[in-house]
Amino acid sequence: MSPLSSSLLNPRLSFSLKPLFLFSQSSFAPRKFQIPRQFVSAKRKTFSALASEQSSATDNGGRSGGGGRSGALSPSPVVEEVQRIDVNPPKGTRDFPPEDMRLRTWLFNHFREVSRLFGFEEVDYPVLESEVLFIRKAGEEIRDQLYCFEDRGNRRVALRPELTPSLARLVIQKGKSLSLPLKWFAIGQCWRYERMTRGRRREHYQWNMDILGLPEVTAEAELISSIVAFFKRIGITESDVGFKVSSRKVLQEVLRCYSVPENLFGKVCIIIDKIEKIPIDEIKRELNATGLSEEAIEELLQVLSIKSLTKLEEILGGAGEAVAELKELFSLAEKFGYSEWIQFDASVVRGLAYYTGIVFEGFDRQGKLRAICGGGRYDRLLSTFGGDDVPACGFGFGDAVIVELLKEKGLLPELNLEVDNIVCALDYDLQGVAAEVATKLREKGQSVDLVLESKPLKWVFKRAARTNVQRLVLVGNTEWQKGMVGVKILSSGEQYEIKLDELE
């Protein structure tokens, strides 16, 4: 049977064979041919629409109405025109190209080195956690800032906005297998959908250090000491940065005098934390809405204005826990050697409900930036998740504000790419030898930029200058015949030949 007769018997086969039939004619010039109307779409269709049409057109165990396998000779789907995407990252997030990644790595290395010097072990947790982990008490800002959703297993989950609840979960999970006290640190990415300002984004990395199992104030003193050590390492002094220190127990003692119920304490603290963010009349209105009397509000605001520990002792007396613990912390600061970095400020309460004792914030003394870091004691956090409470304190230190401070002070380091060697074959046939040279140097712990294509020496020298290469290793025919390579020290211009085995 001829191709033509076959095509007449089966129209679908006709469509598939027609190009071949035309090509088999005596003339090999391309010819136009008509596509059967049933294969022409009136408008562009998506892959899913085409798949749906194909599915609806089949029956009888997957066979089409016209006989034969369904879809065997179906036309290729028409792809919609690709639109150019927005090349910027989502609002409030960042890319880290090499130059920014070098700065991030530099910063994280200092976080890790300080943690190591203080005897802390590194841990990490999932970025995605159960939403319930971060929903504690009404009024916390963090509740309204969660990136949360329901996953395909109908579980409520959230991108972590902070690290401390994950720490608590892990401690509960490990239970009695842990040996106290724990000294852990973590560097993790956190997410909060909040209004962006200088040093505040919707994602950031945070350095946390936590001590669990130690009720004494020495734990807080050690943590503040570690932050001071970090500041000193990167060139920040006590004239640039300070710490405001107070205690949640100060508020407790004031509220107790006015018989304010214990269950209102966390809510009051959250309101007080806004004292520098919203007008004082709004603070009073919110406090009044919790049930506090006008007299209690005025007394509370008076105490919160105190900036002297001596003055606080005159009002509250020296017998209470708040004053005693704060006096001990300031005494320890003298011994640790950072007394000039810290000051008492009763208005510091921190915005998270789980703090129970001493709290502190790092701030820039010029007042241009938001809090650099903050932390405190949270002795009752584990019980809110169903665990047994363990004395605990810690801090969080974000990566965004400190970079702004370093810019402000002109202290950002110059971090260029640095490579030990660039290895180049002067002949294409010697590429394998150049790879051998590069491998030997890398095995000795040296970094090597291997030129992977044929390039003129002018290009190689330009690349070496751009990547701050210390040494150029050239593999040429003449030298290699003697089992040697050419070397040029780029800083001094010194040149020599050396056997490969002697190249260090």
Side-chain angles (χ1 to χ4, degrees), residues 26-97:
S26 57
S27 171
F28 287 96
R31 300 189 182 187
K32 295 182 179 178
F33 55 93
Q34 291 289 324
I35 300 176
R37 184 174 298 276
Q38 65 267 32
F39 296 107
V40 180
S41 176
K43 60 181 180 179
R44 294 180 184 273
K45 296 183 180 179
T46 62
F47 288 112
S48 58
L50 286 164
S52 177
E53 289 181 12
Q54 183 64 47
S55 176
S56 63
T58 60
D59 55 14
N60 297 326
R63 290 190 173 271
S64 64
R69 285 189 181 174
S70 169
L73 294 173
S74 297
S76 300
V78 179
V79 181
E80 290 188 359
E81 184 178 346
V82 176
Q83 302 253 333
R84 181 179 173 82
I85 66 164
D86 181 357
V87 296
N88 295 308
K91 190 174 181 180
T93 67
R94 299 165 288 175
D95 291 315
F96 288 91

Side-chain angles (χ1 to χ4, degrees), residues 236-485:
I236 299 294
T237 68
E238 67 271 20
S239 63
D240 302 316
V241 164
F243 292 88
K244 296 177 182 178
V245 180
S246 186
S247 173
R248 286 257 176 121
K249 293 177 181 178
V250 171
L251 292 186
Q252 280 181 317
E253 292 186 23
V254 173
L255 295 177
R256 197 176 294 125
C257 294
Y258 291 91
S259 303
V260 175
E262 185 72 23
N263 65 325
L264 290 179
F265 177 67
K267 190 176 291 187
V268 170
C269 287
I270 291 164
I271 296 168
I272 295 301
D273 188 55
K274 305 175 190 175
I275 206 162
E276 293 182 356
K277 304 171 188 175
I278 61 176
I280 194 67
D281 288 341
E282 182 64 26
I283 294 288
K284 290 180 179 180
R285 191 157 39 249
E286 290 191 23
L287 288 172
N288 188 256
T290 66
L292 264 67
S293 66
E294 294 291 338
E295 185 183 2
I297 291 171
E298 290 302 322
E299 176 73 15
L300 183 60
L301 293 176
Q302 182 182 348
V303 170
L304 291 173
S305 67
I306 295 174
K307 310 295 181 187
S308 162
L309 192 53
T310 304
K311 179 69 173 175
L312 180 71
E313 189 172 5
E314 289 175 5
I315 294 176
L316 298 182
E321 285 185 5
V323 172
E325 289 175 354
L326 286 165
K327 288 174 72 174
E328 183 180 358
L329 177 62
F330 277 82
S331 175
L332 287 167
E334 292 274 358
K335 296 178 174 63
F336 274 102
Y338 60 80
S339 58
E340 294 180 354
W341 292 73
I342 67 172
Q343 63 191 59
F344 176 73
D345 186 333
S347 67
V348 176
V349 296
R350 303 295 293 158
L352 296 171
Y354 54 67
Y355 287 116
T356 57
I358 287 176
V359 286
F360 54 87
E361 284 184 356
F363 69 100
D364 80 292
R365 294 194 184 275
Q366 291 187 351
K368 294 182 178 180
L369 301 168
R370 61 186 293 248
I372 303 167
C373 59
R377 181 160 289 277
Y378 52 93
D379 286 347
R380 294 193 292 273
L381 177 60
L382 271 64
S383 63
T384 65
F385 302 132
D388 295 327
D389 279 325
V390 174
C393 61
F395 70 80
F397 192 122
D399 70 324
V401 179
I402 187 60
V403 169
E404 293 297 325
L405 181 63
L406 290 170
K407 287 178 184 176
E408 191 76 31
K409 302 297 179 183
L411 293 173
L412 277 179
E414 188 174 331
L415 301 168
N416 298 312
L417 174 64
E418 293 184 357
V419 180
D420 297 327
N421 306 275
I422 188 167
V423 175
C424 178
L426 297 179
D427 189 289
Y428 183 79
D429 293 337
L430 292 173
Q431 286 280 16
V433 178
E436 181 183 348
V437 173
T439 298
K440 287 186 177 296
L441 289 172
R442 288 165 179 161
E443 287 173 348
K444 293 176 181 178
Q446 297 195 34
S447 57
V448 177
D449 181 6
L450 175 62
V451 179
L452 299 170
E453 54 187 328
S454 295
K455 288 289 185 181
L457 272 178
K458 183 178 180 181
W459 182 92
V460 176
F461 277 107
K462 281 186 178 179
R463 182 171 180 83
R466 184 175 64 83
T467 55
N468 300 294
V469 172
Q470 299 176 20
R471 184 171 65 175
L472 173 61
V473 180
L474 295 172
V475 182
N477 270 315
T478 305
E479 294 83 4
W480 187 245
Q481 286 174 6
K482 298 181 289 184
M484 308 181 83
V485 294

